């Protein structure tokens, strides 16, 4: 089964809706390497309509311009892109297709499709939220910026039950950005104060 990996730039207070004012000042070679590693995990991009419109409105032109970011732009153009949208789309970017039917059912089928090694979700907060709720996200790869954005859409929406996560890797950059990779985890054993009171710091 192919892994579903979500990669997000996120603020310290959980905002995953990027504001260039707090994102770009922290982008350095370390973050560029992390992004490269994330894209190397997968051969399919799963993206929402807004993310597609943003990518398709910028990367084809950057590829054609032949600048420093042209190789990455070509990589994005060449990869298979599966787009989540409730309305039909007229695609202008090569290798793009509309997801068919229910999102959860379609992603479940995509995970089982022969030849696919991984499915990467860059951004696309609503898609990630739906797949988290369905238990279909295998990894969350977060680049946590040292800023409290205080406004914007957050990754984790309100719900009835917590998501328990296991940290599989961390890395701190000189900019203050922390890269954290999470996998789904089991809920810890039920614990109350009486179970941990022997760990309370001793008084002076």
């Amino acid at each position: 089964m192919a892994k579903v990996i979500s990669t997000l730039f996120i603020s310290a207070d959980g905002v995953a809706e990027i504001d260039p004012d707090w994102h770009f000042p922290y982008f350095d070679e370390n973050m560029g390497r992390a992004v490269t590693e994330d894209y190397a995990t997968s051969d399919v991009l799963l993206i929402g309509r807004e993310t597609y419109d943003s990518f398709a409105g910028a990367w084809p032109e950057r590829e054609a311009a032949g600048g420093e970011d042209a190789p990455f732009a070509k990589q994005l153009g060449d990869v298979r892109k599966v787009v989540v949208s409730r309305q039909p789309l007229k695609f202008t970017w090569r290798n793009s297709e509309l997801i068919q039917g229910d999102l959860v059912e379609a992603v479940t089928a995509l995970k089982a499709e022969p030849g696919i090694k991984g499915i990467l979700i860059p951004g696309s907060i609503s898609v990630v939220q739906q797949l988290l709720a369905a238990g279909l996200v295998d990894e969350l790869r977060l680049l946590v910026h040292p800023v409290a954005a205080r406004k914007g859409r957050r990754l984790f929406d309100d719900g009835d039950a917590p998501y328990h996560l296991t940290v599989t890797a961390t890395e701190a950059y000189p900019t203050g950005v922390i890269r954290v990779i999470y996998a789904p985890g089991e809920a810890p054993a039920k614990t109350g104060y009486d179970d941990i009171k022997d760990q309370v710091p001793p008084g002076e």
Side-chain angles (χ1 to χ4, degrees):
M1 295 286 284
K3 274 189 174 182
V4 172
I5 297 173
S6 165
T7 179
L8 289 158
F9 304 122
I10 192 167
S11 68
D13 57 343
V15 173
E17 182 179 355
I18 297 174
D19 183 335
D21 288 342
W22 62 252
H23 168 56
F24 286 120
Y26 295 102
F27 202 103
D28 67 353
E29 67 275 9
N30 297 292
M31 197 181 292
R33 172 178 51 79
V35 171
T36 299
E37 290 174 1
D38 291 345
Y39 276 84
T41 65
S42 305
D43 42 20
V44 174
L45 295 187
L46 177 66
I47 48 180
R49 168 69 180 270
E50 291 182 9
T51 302
Y52 177 81
D53 286 344
S54 175
F55 279 23
W59 289 110
E61 293 181 5
R62 292 169 182 166
E63 181 181 354
E68 291 181 351
D69 54 1
F72 182 64
K74 182 180 185 303
Q75 178 184 343
L76 292 179
D78 289 344
V79 74
R80 179 184 175 188
K81 293 167 284 291
V82 180
V83 184
V84 182
S85 175
R86 293 187 177 90
Q87 299 179 2
L89 289 175
K90 184 177 181 180
F91 293 113
T92 58
W93 199 13
R94 68 184 183 276
N95 299 321
S96 301
E97 63 191 76
L98 187 66
I99 204 164
Q100 300 298 318
D102 176 77
L103 173 63
V104 171
E105 292 178 0
V107 172
T108 300
L110 198 60
K111 282 172 65 73
E113 192 171 312
I116 295 179
K117 69 176 182 179
I119 302 160
L120 186 70
I121 313 172
S124 308
I125 302 169
S126 63
V127 174
V128 175
Q129 289 173 339
Q130 292 176 69
L131 296 182
L132 276 170
L136 289 176
V137 176
D138 298 292
E139 283 187 3
L140 276 173
R141 297 187 170 209
L142 306 181
L143 286 159
V144 185
H145 294 50
V147 59
R150 303 185 66 197
K151 62 179 180 179
R153 294 182 62 196
R154 285 171 166 75
L155 169 58
F156 298 109
D157 54 0
D158 291 339
D160 296 328
Y163 294 124
H164 294 281
L165 304 169
T166 298
V167 176
T168 62
T170 61
E171 188 178 8
Y173 302 150
T175 58
V177 170
I178 300 173
R179 187 189 191 195
V180 186
I181 301 178
Y182 292 105
E186 296 293 330
K190 189 173 181 180
T191 304
Y193 178 75
D194 286 343
D195 300 302
I196 58 90
K197 61 185 179 182
D198 60 327
Q199 305 298 323
V200 173
E204 293 183 3

